[in-house]
Amino acid sequence: MITGAAGFLGSHLCDKFVGEGYKVIAMDNLITGDLKNLEHLFPNPDFEFYHHDVTKYIHISGPLDYILHFASPASPIDYLKIPIQTLKVGAMGTHNCLGLAKEKRARILVASTSEVYGDPLVHPQTEEYWGNVNPVGPRGVYDEAKRYMESITTAYHSFHKVDTRIVRIFNTYGPRMRLNDGRALPAFIGQALRGEDITVFGDGSQTRSFCFVSDLIEGIYRLLLSNYTGPVNIGNPNEISLKRFAEEVLALTGNKVKIVSLPLPVDDPKQRRPDITLAKKLLNWTPIISRKEGLEKTYHYFKELPQEEWYRQPKEFLSGK
Ligand SMILES: NC(=O)c1ccc[n+]([C@@H]2O[C@H](COP(=O)([O-])OP(=O)(O)OC[C@H]3O[C@@H](n4cnc5c(N)ncnc54)[C@H](O)[C@@H]3O)[C@@H](O)[C@H]2O)c1
């Protein structure tokens, strides 16, 4: 079972597991996801979709071997608009998935994030670092939900002996992201496609490390099949400043727009780079797609979308309860 299956990462996970010959139950309430990401899988008899909110009790008949819990708004533009749902899916959604794993004796992997490191005081970030998170800052709803997720997952492992895995995902990009999700990479590509100036927050010296989606999915697959229960960083350690990155996007698109600066958002992390020593040793995993190749694939995907997608406004949500 994969929760958050209609989202960016969830849909790629569905492809991977169906491709490896598993029967997949995909679950999503479509709050930020889109069935378009899954429609190619609907004819497959090994694939089933359940429209369900994982903060409500989850019932699945029959056995389950693995649960991958990926349901959660993931980009600031989403979780700042639906802060309570974000906290609930990290807390109650994770609790329900862990309960299901216990009942079915299934192995469960939960999707944590580099955001548990907050605005890190240690660089690059290793799994031992405890983080620098502001619980009452605007991003706290996401960061603390994921920290609670790690905590309750670890408690289910030690207290109920549930077989658990925790992946700490660093910025990942690729086809099926939403152009308007507010993250730097789709924002830059969207602006370049629409012929608008590219906006960089602050002086653009803050860094990010971008991992192409196929590398991340392979890392998650290997972690699930490993026997390690502690948190594992999966990401690409190739770090770049956002200013330099905006220049790379511009060069790729051949566009002549300007790069302009906007005020830095509150609690925006200044630097981010995974230390992946553990993943290399444990999973014999390392990212193989260069930023140039990944960026080209992603740009091509967005360029081929119907033009109205380039102008689609961010999703409005009905309530933040
Ligand atoms: N993309 C990244 O770079 C990144 C980095 C770190 C962590 N993650 C984690 O990976 C997971 C997936 O992220 P994504 O980028 O694919 O985001 P996404 O928004 O594309 O996908 C999230 C999916 O979860 C679904 N969802 C949200 N709340 C739900 C609920 N209560 N019940 C059922 N479904 C619900 C949404 O409808 C959506 O389809 C998230 O848990 C996120 O925190 C992603």
Side-chain angles (χ1 to χ4, degrees):
M1 179 176 105
I2 299 172
T3 76
F8 164 49
L9 297 182
S11 63
H12 284 282
L13 282 170
C14 290
D15 286 343
K16 170 74 178 170
F17 281 87
V18 167
E20 295 286 339
Y22 291 84
K23 286 191 191 305
V24 172
I25 294 174
M27 187 170 285
D28 206 296
N29 69 350
L30 304 179
I31 191 161
T32 61
D34 196 324
L35 278 185
K36 267 196 252 145
N37 292 333
L38 294 175
E39 62 192 5
H40 59 287
L41 290 172
F42 286 151
N44 191 317
D46 288 338
F47 181 79
E48 271 182 279
F49 179 76
Y50 290 21
H51 188 181
H52 183 69
D53 178 342
V54 297
T55 66
K56 310 266 167 23
Y57 179 77
I58 306 171
H59 171 75
I60 301 285
S61 52
L64 270 184
D65 298 310
Y66 302 111
I67 299 172
L68 291 103
H69 177 40
F70 277 66
S72 169
S75 70
I77 212 166
D78 292 334
Y79 62 70
L80 295 177
K81 278 192 214 156
I82 41 172
I84 316 274
Q85 274 125 321
T86 303
L87 281 156
K88 279 171 76 176
V89 74
M92 293 144 77
T94 305
H95 194 183
N96 286 336
C97 289
L98 286 163
L100 184 66
K102 178 169 168 264
E103 176 200 330
K104 301 283 185 187
R105 297 180 188 281
R107 180 175 296 177
I108 176 167
L109 180 147
V110 297
S112 186
T113 167
S114 57
E115 302 291 336
V116 299
Y117 300 123
D119 191 0
L121 305 175
V122 162
H123 195 69
Q125 293 79 53
T126 65
E127 289 82 353
E128 282 78 47
Y129 179 50
W130 293 354
N132 178 36
V133 170
N134 175 5
V136 294
R139 304 169 74 104
V141 295
Y142 181 68
D143 305 1
E144 296 294 8
K146 292 293 186 179
R147 289 168 70 94
Y148 174 87
M149 167 195 260
E150 291 198 10
S151 216
I152 191 170
T153 300
T154 306
Y156 261 71
H157 176 68
S158 48
F159 190 72
H160 287 310
K161 309 289 174 245
V162 171
D163 193 11
T164 56
R165 306 286 180 272
I166 300 172
V167 58
R168 288 189 183 149
I169 301 168
F170 282 67
N171 284 0
T172 300
Y173 70 101
R176 302 192 196 142
M177 289 186 97
R178 278 170 295 139
L179 268 186
N180 55 24
D181 81 358
R183 292 185 251 196
L185 185 143
F188 291 171
I189 294 184
Q191 288 167 329
L193 285 171
R194 293 187 299 267
E196 297 166 4
D197 287 343
I198 295 194
T199 50
V200 170
F201 293 126
D203 64 2
S205 63
Q206 64 279 37
T207 65
R208 297 291 182 268
S209 309
F210 296 103
C211 183
F212 190 65
V213 62
S214 57
D215 282 335
L216 177 87
I217 298 296
E218 181 59 31
I220 290 171
Y221 186 69
R222 291 188 192 194
L223 176 60
L224 179 72
L225 300 184
S226 77
N227 54 16
Y228 188 78
T229 55
V232 179
N233 289 340
I234 301 280
N236 191 322
N238 192 338
E239 186 179 3
I240 186 171
S241 76
L242 285 180
K243 173 91 189 313
R244 178 85 200 91
F245 184 59
E247 288 163 2
E248 282 189 6
V249 171
L250 262 193
L252 174 73
T253 61
N255 214 315
K256 296 282 175 277
V257 295
K258 291 197 294 294
I259 297 177
V260 295
S261 154
L262 283 180
L264 207 55
V266 181
D267 295 337
D268 195 43
K270 284 180 263 319
Q271 50 185 8
R272 216 14 102 53
R273 171 153 60 100
D275 181 315
I276 56 167
T277 312
L278 184 62
K280 278 185 179 158
K281 195 170 113 211
L282 209 64
L283 313 173
N284 191 23
W285 172 87
T286 192
I288 51 176
I289 306 285
S290 68
R291 197 169 53 241
K292 184 168 187 300
E293 186 184 348
L295 209 49
E296 273 165 13
K297 286 189 170 142
T298 310
Y299 177 63
H300 184 74
Y301 165 80
F302 285 127
K303 200 160 173 260
E304 295 307 308
L305 288 179
Q307 279 215 10
E308 69 248 28
E309 290 295 327
W310 300 358
Y311 293 90
R312 189 182 288 280
Q313 292 302 307
K315 229 170 171 162
E316 286 305 328
F317 300 104
L318 288 178
S319 86
K321 295 198 187 110

